[in-house]
Amino acid sequence: MDNLGNLLDGFANVVTPMNLLIALLGVTIGTAVGVLPGIGPAMTVALLLPVTYGMEPTQAFIMFAGIFYGGMYGGSTTSILLNTPGESSSVVTAIEGNKMAKAGRAAQALATAAIGSFVAGTIATLLLVLVTPPMVQFAISLGAPDYLALMLLSFVAVTAVLGASRVRGFASLLLGLVIGTVGIDAVSGQQRLTLGIPQLADGIDVVVVAVGIFAVGEALWIAAHLRRRAAEVIPVGRPWMGRQDWKRSWKPWLRGTAYGFPFGALPAGGAEIPTFLSYATEKKLTKHPEEFGRGAIEGVAGPEAANNASAAGTLVPMLAIGLPTNATAAVMLAAFQQYGIQPGPLLFERESALVWTLIASLFVGNLLLLVLNLPLAPAWARLLRIPRPYLYAGILFFASMGAYAVNAQPFDLFLLLTLGLLGFGMRRFGLPILPLIVGVILGPRAELQGRRALQLSGGELHGLIGGWVSWTIYATVLVVLLWPVLGRFVVRGVRERLVTG
């Protein structure tokens, strides 16, 4: 009941005229950038971090939450109309959605994506309200060794589970950890990796890193592969659904939600796995198997619901423990640090009004997105006709202004370009971005928790292993790291049994 009262107080804060306007602005920007291929919510939140310096923290996070949900909505439009997913989590939507559009059912595909996203987002946000407080109580009982183990699990998960190559994932994580150690050591007072440059003594601001890697790196990468001609977009009518479409969509919406939320809450769970699982499930359960591969509405409804449910799931570990499970959550974690707020188990106690207002804004933003997406789908489709040179020139301009606004130092512009070139190189050689961002943000915190654990044990290494929580986490880490080797032995043993049998 206390949580319900806090949520009602959060709604009271959100429904003021100014906060509603900020929520509307956030979901509009989020949808717009989700529609544009190559520009995701993570990059948009990174770009807007410097812009929100003058805003109240509550208003800034209302906007960020709207961008987060809106980016998930908008990615489906690109997938359906252009067969070009704006986000990796929208890849599955493109399989059936674009086929529906080419068959003249673009309106129905967009409608089931928008309504399914609303249903899944609402249910998942309710689950967020129910699940997060108990997780906070659990997190309060953890000590420094347990937090160190959790952060090591996050490092391993984003490198070994996500992406096609573990080596590239760990290389990206190492780059992030190196960037995170730049500056003066808080314990010894020694300068680390500053190269004698005074501006690096305070470290590299996370905002500059995020904007450089996401925005500048992406803009340079697109410029290297620029198409002069705008892509062909399938025309859209007014989105609507018939009775048969509703009948075939509501069960996939619920099943997609059931897949998306728990995967979003897991370290490195993300939205990719549940969207593929949802698609596979709908393909197996459908009464119209002949339509799959030719434009089945279930193949759009289920994955889109899973995609948006996972977005709410990612906020559970971010708010309760301070662990990001995707790139957007990592940038939002940086936003908390920008305002001097430490995410984790004490966040609900110290910043109760901020957290519950943020959660309430998810409900409001979800409703605003439904109102925006259904009637304005043709307008969003027109955004796809913006020439890429104009679009990315604008991104570079705002990125430079934002990075300069952090400390008002010209050196930050040089740093921004250097990080942008690093982001370009990472894309060129297939290094994932998320491990680097997680390394920059969680690296210093993992170092702090490790030092605390060693101080409590008098410098003994056994102090890094606490109670059953850390033992369980380290066992999980070992399984994740050794699974490729163990899997080969298991497969080899099964083959030998089949041959001998």
Side-chain angles (χ1 to χ4, degrees):
M1 293 303 294
D2 291 339
N3 293 334
L4 180 59
N6 291 328
L7 182 61
L8 292 176
D9 290 339
F11 274 111
N13 293 332
V14 172
V15 296
T16 62
M18 180 56 69
N19 286 346
L20 283 176
L21 179 61
I22 290 174
L24 178 62
L25 182 62
V27 297
T28 304
I29 295 174
T31 305
V33 298
V35 167
L36 295 171
I39 307 178
M43 187 169 108
T44 309
V45 174
L47 277 171
L48 290 178
L49 276 178
V51 179
T52 57
Y53 275 159
M55 298 175 65
E56 292 291 327
T58 301
Q59 294 179 342
F61 281 100
I62 289 174
M63 177 178 286
F64 292 151
I67 292 170
F68 191 18
Y69 267 24
M72 296 295 179
Y73 268 77
S76 62
T77 302
T78 315
S79 299
I80 292 169
L81 299 183
L82 206 60
N83 200 25
T84 306
E87 285 284 297
S88 60
S89 54
S90 299
V91 169
V92 182
T93 306
I95 298 174
E96 301 295 333
N98 189 250
K99 293 288 194 308
M100 288 183 67
K102 289 180 177 178
R105 285 172 52 81
Q108 288 81 356
L110 290 171
T112 192
I115 298 172
S117 297
F118 170 76
V119 171
T122 302
I123 296 174
T125 308
L126 284 172
L127 293 174
L128 172 67
V129 174
L130 297 174
V131 170
T132 307
M135 182 174 282
V136 169
Q137 295 302 316
F138 168 72
I140 290 174
S141 66
L142 302 180
D146 301 319
Y147 276 109
L148 175 63
L150 277 170
M151 291 176 190
L152 291 178
L153 174 62
S154 181
F155 291 153
V156 171
V158 299
T159 54
V161 178
L162 296 179
S165 170
R166 292 184 174 215
V167 174
R168 291 174 180 173
F170 279 108
S172 176
L173 175 65
L174 180 61
L175 287 172
L177 293 174
V178 170
I179 294 173
T181 57
V182 174
I184 297 177
D185 180 22
V187 176
S188 65
Q190 296 294 319
Q191 293 193 13
R192 301 187 297 188
L193 303 178
T194 59
L195 304 177
I197 302 174
Q199 290 90 339
L200 292 178
D202 291 333
I204 301 177
D205 196 286
V206 178
V207 176
V208 178
V209 176
V211 174
I213 295 295
F214 280 110
V216 179
E218 182 69 19
L220 294 176
W221 177 251
I222 294 295
H225 302 81
L226 192 64
R227 293 181 179 178
R228 294 295 178 184
R229 187 170 58 89
E232 295 295 329
V233 183
I234 298 173
V236 183
R238 188 176 183 85
W240 60 277
M241 292 174 64
R243 180 178 298 180
Q244 188 66 19
D245 295 325
W246 281 93
K247 185 178 179 180
R248 293 176 57 179
S249 294
W250 71 272
K251 289 182 181 179
W253 291 338
L254 298 179
R255 285 191 288 261
T257 305
Y259 277 125
F261 183 80
F263 270 96
L266 292 173
E272 291 81 4
I273 296 175
T275 52
F276 277 101
L277 287 176
S278 174
Y279 180 78
T281 301
E282 299 310 323
K283 189 174 182 179
K284 185 175 182 180
L285 298 178
T286 184
K287 296 180 180 178
H288 307 275
E290 72 283 353
E291 291 188 18
F292 269 80
R294 300 180 179 178
I297 195 169
E298 295 93 339
V300 179
E304 270 305 299
N307 182 16
N308 282 268
S310 71
T314 59
L315 297 179
V316 175
M318 189 195 78
L319 295 175
I321 309 177
L323 292 178
T325 60
N326 66 9
T328 311
V331 180
M332 289 182 71
L333 195 64
F336 276 106
Q337 295 176 350
Q338 166 186 303
Y339 286 101
I341 300 171
Q342 189 63 47
L346 296 180
L347 180 64
F348 279 75
E349 180 181 336
R350 295 175 178 172
E351 301 288 344
S352 177
L354 169 63
V355 174
W356 288 106
T357 302
L358 170 62
I359 294 174
S361 72
L362 296 176
F363 288 100
V364 175
N366 216 24
L367 179 61
L368 291 174
L369 280 166
L370 181 66
V371 174
L372 278 174
N373 275 266
L374 284 177
L376 296 181
W380 298 128
R382 293 191 187 98
L383 285 176
L384 295 169
R385 303 182 186 277
I386 295 177
R388 297 291 180 87
Y390 300 147
L391 178 63
Y392 285 94
I395 288 174
L396 286 174
F397 172 77
F398 285 110
S400 302
M401 293 293 292
Y404 183 78
V406 173
N407 298 310
Q409 292 182 352
F411 177 77
D412 285 340
L413 295 177
F414 170 78
L415 203 58
L416 180 74
L417 178 59
T418 304
L419 291 167
L421 292 172
L422 175 63
F424 173 83
M426 292 177 67
R427 288 165 173 81
R428 169 64 181 83
F429 294 104
L431 271 66
I433 301 297
L434 178 57
L436 182 143
I437 299 298
V438 170
V440 171
I441 296 173
L442 292 188
R445 297 176 62 190
E447 180 186 14
L448 175 64
Q449 297 296 344
R451 283 182 167 178
R452 283 179 179 173
L454 290 174
Q455 287 170 353
L456 292 173
S457 65
E460 297 292 334
L461 291 179
H462 66 77
L464 297 176
I465 302 177
W468 66 271
V469 174
S470 57
W471 278 103
T472 304
I473 293 173
Y474 285 130
T476 305
V477 169
L478 283 176
V479 171
V480 171
L481 290 176
L482 298 177
W483 181 250
V485 179
L486 295 174
R488 289 179 183 176
F489 282 113
V490 171
V491 172
R492 185 180 300 173
V494 172
R495 286 178 179 175
E496 290 177 356
R497 288 181 182 180
L498 291 175
V499 172
T500 56

